[in-house]
Amino acid sequence: MKNILGREIPETIQGYGTVKPFQGAFASLGEVEKKSVKLKSTGPKEEKVLSSIQEVLEKCSLQDGMTVSFHHHLRNGDYVLNMVLDEIAKAGVRDIKVAASSIFPIHAPLVQHIQNGVVTGIYANYMSGPVAEAISRGELKNPAIMHTHGGRARAIESGDLSIDIAFIAAPTCDTYGNINGVEGKAACGTLGYAVPDAVYATKTVAITDNLVPYPACPIEITQEHIDYVVKVDSIGDPKGIVSGTTQITKDPVGLKIAKMTAKVIEVSGLLKDGFSFQTGAGGTSLAVAAYVKELMKKNNVKGSFAAGGITGYMVEMFEEGLFESLFDVQCFDLKAVESYRDNKRHQVMSASMYGNPHNKGAVVNNLDVMILGATEIDTAFNANVTTGSSGMIMGGSGGHSDTAAGSKLAIVVTQLVKGRLPIVVDRVTTVTTPGETIDVLVTERGIAVNPLRQDLIEKLKTTNLPIMTIEELKAMAEAMTGIPEKIELDDEVVAVVEYRDGTVIDVVRKIKD
Amino acid sequence: MKNILGREIPETIQGYGTVKPFQGAFASLGEVEKKSVKLKSTGPKEEKVLSSIQEVLEKCSLQDGMTVSFHHHLRNGDYVLNMVLDEIAKAGVRDIKVAASSIFPIHAPLVQHIQNGVVTGIYANYMSGPVAEAISRGELKNPAIMHTHGGRARAIESGDLSIDIAFIAAPTCDTYGNINGVEGKAACGTLGYAVPDAVYATKTVAITDNLVPYPACPIEITQEHIDYVVKVDSIGDPKGIVSGTTQITKDPVGLKIAKMTAKVIEVSGLLKDGFSFQTGAGGTSLAVAAYVKELMKKNNVKGSFAAGGITGYMVEMFEEGLFESLFDVQCFDLKAVESYRDNKRHQVMSASMYGNPHNKGAVVNNLDVMILGATEIDTAFNANVTTGSSGMIMGGSGGHSDTAAGSKLAIVVTQLVKGRLPIVVDRVTTVTTPGETIDVLVTERGIAVNPLRQDLIEKLKTTNLPIMTIEELKAMAEAMTGIPEKIELDDEVVAVVEYRDGTVIDVVRKIKD
């Protein structure tokens, strides 16, 4: 079977089930349903604090085949996923599905649980490091299921992803399960990705290293969703959780791309009062922000909001009055954590509020401009942020597809050639985000606009920016690198890439040894 | 049929259905389910602001027989319920069920809609004034259904009360449906009662007189739950919404009761570090708070939280450091609104978080001491706050039953005789709150402790407080007033009183002309 993007996808995938093929970015909007939630009520005399994760597993009646979930706010400093899975392994339970919003190199011990059958399924929006590599080599029994940030919230809320036990790493938690992320030694700021898990899981457990007296104000995830609380020595390594600062690139190529991107934004007509903006934490993305900041100041533009994972750089723009407010699903650095703690207009958003296509309107729907990366982009503007050119999983959508679909102007910024390989190709290794939702590709050598955006092409014609077709960009790249050899992959599907609405946009196949 | 409290209740009630009889305050705890929610997703290019309530009704496909809901944060200043029902009547729609969290004298125009068949059903946690009187006279087609505050949240979340369209009076709302209650000319503070409606209704509409640019930080009810926004001239009269100040009684009888109550609290042993407390906004209740405050200062007690509808008096205690935090489902006065706006430890709670028995633990479960009123209390400690001694509906549980069930020490404070009628009776006209959840009755003439609380009786024996049996209190009252004549009521059931778990604890019968 081929889906609407021409991707070859089996109709049924062993360990996944029947494939609903991707039908277009907005094909699934309309009548939807959020699932019912079964739970056990907590009465007046019951207590929630348990003495160990082992006791939690007993109280939650953990069984073979269950799905357990984790959030990734502690990023590469997270201790909780490994800690819980070790206890699950010790308990002799097998065939566990791990729904982690993202997986990082620190989660390497998960590979062993995969190899010995404790873990047979993985859901993630993003993964990098040893677990991603093991999955790419075909070591996981069932194909991994890769979501977008908004799509994961949708999957949880709809029941497509049914969580038996959610383990919530809690920087601060009180004895009745109220959680905040702004206090404690593992303070990470907002806990936006954990909200759907907390609300929809059958059992929800807070794991904290900062157990405080009731109530843990300011409360972010509330007691009525938490079954149990357990205290451990440490939930994470602060050095891996938040970086001290996020830095603008000093690379002249990156700066050139950023400057051109800012010009595209200016020409688009969106850079006016009420402007809204999101960008990642990478050096080039931040450089775009820096140029946008200059333009906003020059043109006296008062923006409405910046969104995303929030960096100190966006906090600075906010504090300088360039944006009225910040929407924050996760804090990328300490400055963001402090701002969120101290400023009421630095507003948390849950993963659903951020990007779920099946609620009554996500924040991404209100974005004017989104700055995106890509490891590959094809001539239909389909972007890959899931696999590297070798076919190895090394990322995933995260908010990529959500923000691309929601924003008025989604711009991919990238060097034209990386590691001697062209970034613009006929056919990306994996489609993460459909081309219909990407408006512009900016490289240091030229800018290509999606032909769907004739309005933008007309506007850009009036500038001296190097506007060309994406085919021209591809030819330019290939002239530098030669046409790369096609990589050979096994037939076996090792990961299913779900678009934000739960349809399958592509699959990842096993890399050859 | 008689339920466990011996109340005569039909097995089936016309216009209500089959009765699930009350089985005891904690009989329903255990496995429960929250309902699935059907909704229409909002895509990136859709706008939410509509031009009129009429247009809202069209877009929401309002039909005969539907249930529409309202919150009561604007109290006796609310314009929204009347405004919407007038439009519904104009649209020629009939047989509407109105689920208003509470109904006040300002909602008198609803009586006409009841009389002409536009409105045939009413759900409320509390009602006073002309609507309550019309219902008592049997004018509503179906029996009114009276919930507790937590029980209403439970009913909405479980699907027992299914809302087609929720109308949310919004003191401030942005163009995409984010709502806050702390800004705007009708600022009322927290919006805790509106949360279940917003999350579980099929359609949710924000009605605001302060439409602001996106986003309306600090956001209290978020955009992903709101379908439409409509701006009107005024949602309410600030004079009816919040009082300037709430006042401690100056009546010597009230002060005597309050002082004795504080002594009971002290003797109970609960008045120590971590103490938690809730009281109403009435003069005697506030006087109890004043005496408790003295005791806390004297004994150097640092409390954990005060909860409830929050008054300026509780804010003062909080600001003086007597409580670490406040849990606030609704702000009773301007001082509470300001405190909630400015202080992060003045924490909102939704109606479900406040008192829903069927979630993973409500705030009431953590209450040490609750001060309650009553219009009648019987010798089994069952309390009536629903009807007056004439049988006329003049209130309702509100949080009465929720806090009584959750708190460690629930104290009813009342004069022994009111309006020449004894308050302590053999049999209350209506049971609102079951006696098993009420620990103590304090009157100016004596204190009766529920025999279930032998521990407390032992402790109080060591004091010089006038401890006696409730039968002795009743005899004392009757000695003053004579034994009152039994009121005669019609057989017709005009209201069904649901306990917080949805079982029927009593019914209200039509008053005789």
Side-chain angles (χ1 to χ4, degrees), chain A residues 37 48 341 344 360, chain B residues 34 48 227 341 344 360:
Chain A
V37 178
K48 294 188 179 184
R341 187 189 60 206
K344 272 192 296 193
K360 293 175 178 177
Chain B
K34 299 198 180 192
K48 295 187 179 183
D227 292 276
R341 188 189 59 205
K344 275 190 296 193
K360 293 175 179 177

Side-chain angles (χ1 to χ4, degrees), chain A residues 141-173:
Chain A
K141 183 179 176 197
N142 300 302
I145 299 173
M146 302 201 64
H147 290 129
T148 73
H149 283 331
R152 180 180 193 270
R154 182 208 59 74
I156 293 170
E157 294 184 5
S158 69
D160 285 356
L161 167 50
S162 186
I163 298 168
D164 295 297
I165 314 174
F167 293 93
I168 314 254
T172 291
C173 186

